[in-house]
Amino acid sequence: MKKFFSNHFIPHWLILIIDMLFVAFSVFISIQVRFNFKVPDLEYVSLKYAVVTIIATRLILFLIFGSYKNIIRYTSTSDAFLMVLNLVIGSVFFVFLNILFHFGFGKANVIPYSIIIIELLMTTGLVIGYRILLKITFLEIRTPSREKTGVVIFGAGESGVITKRAIDRDAGSKYKVIAFFDDDTKKIGKKIEGVSILNSDKIDEVLQSNNIAHLIISVQKLRAERRAEIIDVCLKNNVKALIVPHVSKWINGELSFKQIRKINIEELLERDVIQISNKKVSQEISDKTVLVTGAAGSIGSELVRQIIGFYPKLLVGVDQAETPVFELQNELQKHSESLKIIVANICDAQKMRMIFEKYKPEIVFHAAAYKHVPIMETNPAEAIKNNVFGTRLLANLAMEFGVEKFIFISTDKAVNPTNIMGASKRIAEMYIQAHDKRNKTKFITTRFGNVLGSNGSVIPLFRRQIEKGGPVTVTDPEVTRYFMTIPEAVSLVLEAGTMGNGGEIFIFDMGESVKIIDLAKKMIQLSGYTIGKDIQIVFTGMRPGEKLYEELLADKENNLPTYHNRILIAKVQSRDVEAVETEIEELIQLVNSDNMTIVEKMKKIVPEFKSKNSIFEKLDKK
């Protein structure tokens, strides 16, 4: 039966005959209703022209509109609209004939107005009704309701209604919407197109007791914390969570079921959008020359994107990675008049001096750095060259050329460092802080933890491992990390740079730390796999330089609040500038020495630097 209905279609000529039979039936009933089902014989004679006119007109319009050519099982709202338009045009024509005969020839109405109205309503209901009935019958035969998989929608607003209709239109043969959920208690107990609206408190209960394939989040503006709560309930019940994209991303303003996508782990870890003082940031940046180092990196490129929106006189981006520079330049080519991207190494003293001489930046955001802990653990000389020497070079040039503000992008790994990378960034912090107030330039440091989706971060690694079928590798079941999104981190950097008066080390409220093992589990589940069955999790042990948890404040540091509740100031005692300069110069002179010698000197400069899971631990025992 299913195969027969799937492979056979009602012939066009038969559809046309059925439509005309319904028209004839509607005309007959209209006449009967007009005369209360007691039509005098003489009226039948006088109405013969009306009957012929209606049937002939309907036939001609059906042929012109081609409504009989549509495949009934795929009847859509646009098909129904065209049919209504077809019928209304015919009825308007009947009215026009009456007016013409009345005023032009002094004749009575060709078709009584009551018959015009009744016939229009009946024909519309019959020709559209039987199409819908046949479509429902076909869908039920092909996929009975009992075989359809249940889907629930969170959000009973306009977006939720559009989502249901998209499912019915595009995936109605597979899925059936069985419930709406909403936080608005005023909607509870009501129905949308026959589907009940339930209190969102019932989500867990409904997911447990029904065969639900997907929960679709259709609310366009949902708090990040609320979204995370809903997704956690889905993961707990092995129900796949999907999300409706923002309306601006709908194709031609219409939502398709194919556009409803999986939840990304980044969305699960996101917090509500932070509010920054755009007016103050704009006043700081507008019509000024800004230099961004590491401009093609994860943080640097987002700095470029956000800064360009505040209309600087010129934004100069520097990075040594050719391909990312090429991609960034292509992305922002419409800003070519106010954006200059330069391929250069920040350790190239001659090139950096040329850039400062030529463009005379007024604000510098220094984001260029070597950041991968395991790589720097085996290459301490390179960490010193790039993270320490490069920062010192830029800071000195900033002072020489009268830069107003120098904002240094540091890391939480600089706090009680356990690895080369963190220690190198702490040394750079010390140089920056010691030189504040030495002249016009205000030096400001910002610290934050891991950013979601940045180059080399754990999330892209887990995603690649899942795509390959696993295993997903986690260093230790107890390891935790702080996370924030790249746009969030950069917004806070801009805000901190605006409020900074020089010498501060700003730290950001990054919320609760996240267990990496929990992150891995959620990513596997969000991908639709079962942990231990489809994808295995393997513990590999801590890598050199890694620690179980990160810190934003050292033991001896306190913090002070600012006017922004997400930004704090770490109270860190500044070192004597001459002593810092001497120690760092001695360290840089050691870059061609053996690794042990370099790291030993780093530990003298940063006494709290205690190595973890590293060959350099022996130096801490001296």
Side-chain angles (χ1 to χ4, degrees), residues 106-122:
K107 304 275 186 177
N109 293 332
V110 178
I111 308 170
Y113 285 106
S114 58
I115 292 178
I116 292 175
I117 295 171
I118 296 169
E119 184 274 336
L120 172 62
L121 295 176
M122 283 200 65

Side-chain angles (χ1 to χ4, degrees), residues 29 151 156 163 173 181-182 192 219 224 228 245 345 358 365 370 417 427 430 441 470 518 541 554 571 590:
I29 295 298
V151 171
T163 302
S173 62
F181 292 102
D182 205 282
I192 296 177
V219 180
N345 187 326
K358 182 175 181 179
F365 289 90
Y370 283 149
I427 294 170
M430 293 164 64
T441 304
D518 293 338
K571 292 181 65 178
L590 294 174

Side-chain angles (χ1 to χ4, degrees), residues 255-325:
L255 177 66
S256 164
F257 180 72
K258 292 181 179 178
Q259 290 180 276
I260 301 174
R261 59 174 177 79
K262 293 189 296 185
I263 300 285
N264 296 320
I265 190 66
E266 290 88 345
E267 292 169 303
L268 192 56
L269 294 175
E270 281 179 4
R271 291 179 291 276
D272 292 329
V273 177
I274 61 169
Q275 301 297 321
I276 68 168
S277 177
N278 288 322
K279 186 176 180 180
K280 289 186 178 180
V281 175
S282 181
Q283 289 172 348
E284 188 84 11
I285 292 174
S286 178
D287 205 34
K288 290 185 179 179
T289 300
V290 181
L291 171 65
V292 177
T293 68
S298 303
I299 295 297
S301 61
E302 183 62 23
L303 271 169
V304 169
R305 292 185 193 96
Q306 292 196 26
I307 290 171
I308 205 73
F310 292 107
Y311 304 104
K313 180 169 66 178
L314 179 66
L315 174 53
V316 181
V318 174
D319 202 295
Q320 64 177 338
E322 179 202 14
T323 299
V325 163

Side-chain angles (χ1 to χ4, degrees), residues 293-294 346 366-372 386-387 391 408-409 421 425:
T293 68
I346 62 165
H366 177 36
Y370 283 149
K371 65 175 186 176
H372 295 294
N386 199 74
N387 296 356
T391 301
F408 174 52
I409 314 298
M421 193 282 282
K425 295 290 277 187

Side-chain angles (χ1 to χ4, degrees), residues 411-418 447-449 482 547 549-555:
T411 171
D412 57 0
K413 293 175 178 61
V415 182
N416 294 326
T418 60
R447 283 181 189 164
F448 51 87
Y482 289 101
K547 52 184 174 181
Y549 59 92
E550 303 291 2
E551 306 160 272
L552 290 173
L553 284 170
D555 294 337

Side-chain angles (χ1 to χ4, degrees), residues 204-221:
D204 192 20
E205 179 184 330
V206 172
L207 296 187
Q208 284 183 35
S209 57
N210 292 272
N211 179 27
I212 306 296
H214 306 303
L215 181 146
I216 301 173
I217 298 174
S218 69
V219 180
Q220 291 287 300
K221 293 181 180 180

Side-chain angles (χ1 to χ4, degrees), residues 298-568:
S298 303
I299 295 297
S301 61
E302 183 62 23
L303 271 169
V304 169
R305 292 185 193 96
Q306 292 196 26
I307 290 171
I308 205 73
F310 292 107
Y311 304 104
K313 180 169 66 178
L314 179 66
L315 174 53
V316 181
V318 174
D319 202 295
Q320 64 177 338
E322 179 202 14
T323 299
V325 163
F326 171 77
E327 292 171 350
L328 180 65
Q329 197 157 8
N330 277 352
E331 178 190 342
L332 300 174
Q333 56 184 340
K334 67 178 180 180
H335 300 287
S336 57
E337 292 186 3
S338 56
L339 177 64
K340 177 70 175 177
I341 305 293
I342 301 171
V343 177
N345 187 326
I346 62 165
C347 295
D348 185 337
Q350 186 174 351
K351 187 65 176 282
M352 290 301 106
R353 174 170 289 277
M354 182 274 290
I355 290 172
F356 274 80
E357 286 178 343
K358 182 175 181 179
Y359 299 107
K360 296 180 173 55
E362 296 161 90
I363 302 173
V364 174
F365 289 90
H366 177 36
Y370 283 149
K371 65 175 186 176
H372 295 294
V373 170
I375 301 299
M376 291 302 99
E377 203 67 14
T378 55
N379 295 277
E382 296 306 312
I384 298 306
K385 288 178 188 176
N386 199 74
N387 296 356
V388 179
F389 174 76
T391 301
R392 185 183 73 164
L393 172 62
L394 291 168
N396 289 345
L397 287 170
M399 290 185 287
E400 180 181 342
F401 286 91
V403 169
E404 294 174 12
K405 282 188 176 181
F406 186 103
I407 298 95
F408 174 52
I409 314 298
S410 189
T411 171
D412 57 0
K413 293 175 178 61
V415 182
N416 294 326
T418 60
N419 52 65
I420 302 295
M421 193 282 282
S424 68
K425 295 290 277 187
R426 176 64 191 129
I427 294 170
E429 284 184 1
M430 293 164 64
Y431 190 84
I432 290 293
Q433 194 179 24
H435 283 80
D436 184 63
K437 304 293 192 300
R438 300 287 292 180
N439 66 359
K440 174 184 176 182
T441 304
K442 297 176 181 178
F443 287 99
I444 299 159
T445 298
T446 61
R447 283 181 189 164
F448 51 87
N450 300 278
V451 288
L452 297 172
S454 64
N455 298 330
S457 70
V458 70
I459 289 176
L461 172 63
F462 285 171
R463 189 168 285 131
R464 288 192 298 270
Q465 291 175 335
I466 291 169
E467 287 171 355
K468 291 178 181 178
V472 171
T473 56
V474 178
T475 54
D476 188 280
E478 297 302 318
V479 68
T480 65
R481 291 291 182 266
Y482 289 101
F483 287 99
M484 63 172 28
T485 66
I486 295 174
E488 182 180 25
V490 168
S491 293
L492 290 173
V493 167
L494 293 175
E495 183 81 15
T498 299
M499 72 170 72
N501 293 312
E504 304 99 336
I505 294 181
F506 288 103
I507 59 174
F508 301 155
D509 174 12
M510 300 192 64
E512 298 295 324
S513 60
V514 177
K515 265 195 169 186
I516 299 302
I517 180 64
D518 293 338
L519 186 67
K521 289 177 179 178
K522 287 180 178 179
M523 285 190 69
I524 293 170
Q525 290 177 291
L526 287 173
S527 300
Y529 297 111
T530 302
I531 301 167
K533 180 180 178 183
D534 303 317
I535 302 284
Q536 304 293 328
I537 296 178
V538 175
F539 296 106
T540 59
M542 299 295 286
R543 294 178 297 180
E546 286 189 326
K547 52 184 174 181
L548 287 176
Y549 59 92
E550 303 291 2
E551 306 160 272
L552 290 173
L553 284 170
D555 294 337
K556 296 180 181 180
E557 296 175 1
N558 295 311
N559 63 75
L560 298 172
T562 68
Y563 65 75
H564 196 293
N565 62 354
R566 295 284 298 279
I567 303 176
L568 303 172

